[in-house]
Amino acid sequence: MASNKIIKKILLALSVVGPGLFLIGYNIGTGSVTTMAKTGAEHGMGLFWALVLSCIFTYILMVAYGKVTLVSGHTALFNFKKEFRWGWLLSLYIIIALIIGELLALMGVMGIVADLIQEGIKLAFNGLELNTFYIILFFVMILYLFLWFGKYQMFEKILTVLVIIMGLSFLVVFIMVKPSMGALIEGMVPSMPGTPSEYMLIAAIAGTTCSAAVFIMRSTVVAEKGWGIKDIKNEKRDAFVSAAMMLFLSGVIMAVGAGTLHVMGLKLDNTVDMIQLFEPIGGKLSAFLLIIGIAGAGLSTVFPIVLIAPWLIADYTGKPRDIHSKQSRVLIVIALLFTFGTVFMDEKPPILMVFSQAFQAFILPAVAIPIYILINKKTLMHGHKAGLKMNIGIIAVILFSLITSWFAMMEFIY
């Protein structure tokens, strides 16, 4: 009886933070896993401060976007179009940029998931190699069935399961590989990188955590949840849980790399290399758990990505978000076709992920500045305008977004 009560309480808590879990599933993907593990391997925990800062800024903007949606009753892009003179142009820029960036990410994510499953099959069946096309086809068919028949509430439950599997997998691997706790604590001392490529890692940490798409989608999933102005406290709590879980999961991944690969002087270039490096450290079981965790991270990212185009267009036009409409289903099919991109391209999946993250970095200022204006607009927010702390926080996010965009642009050019 006691265990049943505990399970019910956990499920009730998860139902309250549904939008947050949806965004954790979106945010902690294969790109962020690779970025955090690579950062830990190369710099220990010295750049952990950048992750903490990114998660704090993520929380601030999530609260801001959620609050504006709850008070106004409209989603973000619709508010941009309605409240700004040239808002329709800003909204179209965000829609186009996000869709292009997310389609690139979709190719990278499914390519990495397929490579990981292929690696798992090799480990399990003594080198047996299955073509990645069939692996991607298998997952696309399952995803399509869920998206064809499912509703948002179903996606929320699926993502909850995937996030839990992902989190437990990384946590168990962390315990199994027994990272050097002394090195972790010592590495917590903040440090500044000394080369341009290291500054790019800071931009990548910010890009995978404080992502522009997260805040636009935040507005949509809060509306999809059916919350109103009376749910402002729930919205803040949900945003806090989401940002805290992002920090915890990303921190664990960074710590695994810092306490093992960094101590051993090993480098990490892509996600599949992680499996090959960790097998000698933690054995085949740790390798399988990593495959499950990273594949879970990738698949939890795919759900929100394929919904981005239909939801953004509905957001912009102010129409109901019906993923079963003819237009939505066509857009979802097109997005799913992009998952086969790496099968027909010479580029490796991790390269596509890095490119998509760099591309997304340019959008963050375009979503941080408008929300600062909207949340302080009396005719829109009435008695719910931002206070001093929120304004200081959003200004800090704007400065942070401009700096990380500059880092990304320098890397992109050179």
Side-chain angles (χ1 to χ4, degrees), residues 25-86:
Y26 168 79
N27 216 344
I28 308 293
T30 51
S32 56
V33 170
T34 305
T35 299
M36 299 308 164
K38 181 178 174 66
T39 302
E42 293 184 6
H43 301 284
M45 296 298 287
L47 294 181
F48 183 67
W49 63 268
L51 175 60
V52 173
L53 207 57
S54 296
C55 288
I56 291 171
F57 290 154
T58 298
Y59 166 73
I60 291 168
L61 281 194
M62 283 175 71
V63 169
Y65 267 88
K67 187 175 183 179
V68 170
T69 299
L70 294 180
V71 174
S72 69
H74 298 296
T75 46
L77 296 181
F78 186 82
N79 273 328
F80 291 172
K81 187 178 70 168
K82 178 172 166 282
E83 299 294 332
F84 298 126
R85 185 177 179 184
W86 297 99

Side-chain angles (χ1 to χ4, degrees), residues 105-312:
L106 191 58
M107 287 192 282
V109 167
M110 284 304 288
I112 290 171
V113 169
D115 284 348
L116 286 167
I117 300 298
Q118 188 184 61
E119 189 69 22
I121 292 170
K122 284 180 185 178
L123 285 172
F125 299 101
N126 299 317
L128 175 66
E129 191 165 324
L130 185 64
N131 193 303
T132 55
F133 173 84
Y134 298 108
I135 297 171
I136 294 172
L137 181 63
F138 171 75
F139 284 115
V140 163
M141 289 171 67
I142 292 174
L143 286 166
Y144 187 71
L145 286 172
F146 277 128
L147 290 163
W148 186 270
F149 296 107
K151 295 182 179 180
Y152 170 78
Q153 289 75 13
M154 182 192 289
F155 306 146
E156 203 173 83
K157 289 174 184 176
I158 293 167
L159 286 172
T160 299
V161 172
L162 288 172
V163 168
I164 290 169
I165 290 171
M166 172 178 64
L168 287 175
S169 298
F170 291 136
L171 197 57
V172 171
V173 170
F174 177 79
I175 294 166
M176 285 182 65
V177 299
K178 298 174 183 176
S180 168
M181 297 308 294
L184 290 181
I185 294 167
E186 187 181 336
M188 286 281 192
V189 179
S191 64
M192 285 299 292
T195 66
S197 63
E198 291 169 346
Y199 278 104
M200 184 54 192
L201 265 181
I202 295 176
I205 291 170
T208 57
T209 308
C210 199
S211 166
V214 165
F215 309 120
I216 299 296
M217 292 293 281
R218 171 70 179 178
S219 171
T220 303
V221 295
V222 164
E224 194 70 25
K225 188 73 174 177
W227 283 352
I229 197 166
K230 67 182 186 301
D231 297 297
I232 284 180
K233 285 186 179 179
N234 280 341
E235 192 269 335
K236 282 186 178 180
R237 181 167 59 245
D238 174 80
F240 177 80
V241 171
S242 180
M245 283 292 288
M246 287 177 193
L247 176 61
F248 173 73
L249 291 173
S250 298
V252 166
I253 299 163
M254 188 185 289
V256 168
T260 53
L261 304 181
H262 183 65
V263 172
M264 297 166 69
L266 298 173
K267 299 294 181 185
L268 182 69
D269 291 319
N270 63 61
T271 317
V272 177
D273 283 351
M274 192 190 303
I275 309 304
Q276 294 166 349
L277 287 172
F278 274 100
E279 188 188 350
I281 300 171
K284 278 192 175 183
L285 181 57
S286 73
F288 281 125
L289 284 170
L290 270 176
I291 289 169
I292 292 167
I294 301 170
L299 293 173
S300 71
T301 304
V302 171
F303 266 104
I305 287 179
V306 296
L307 291 174
I308 274 185
W311 275 5
L312 287 182

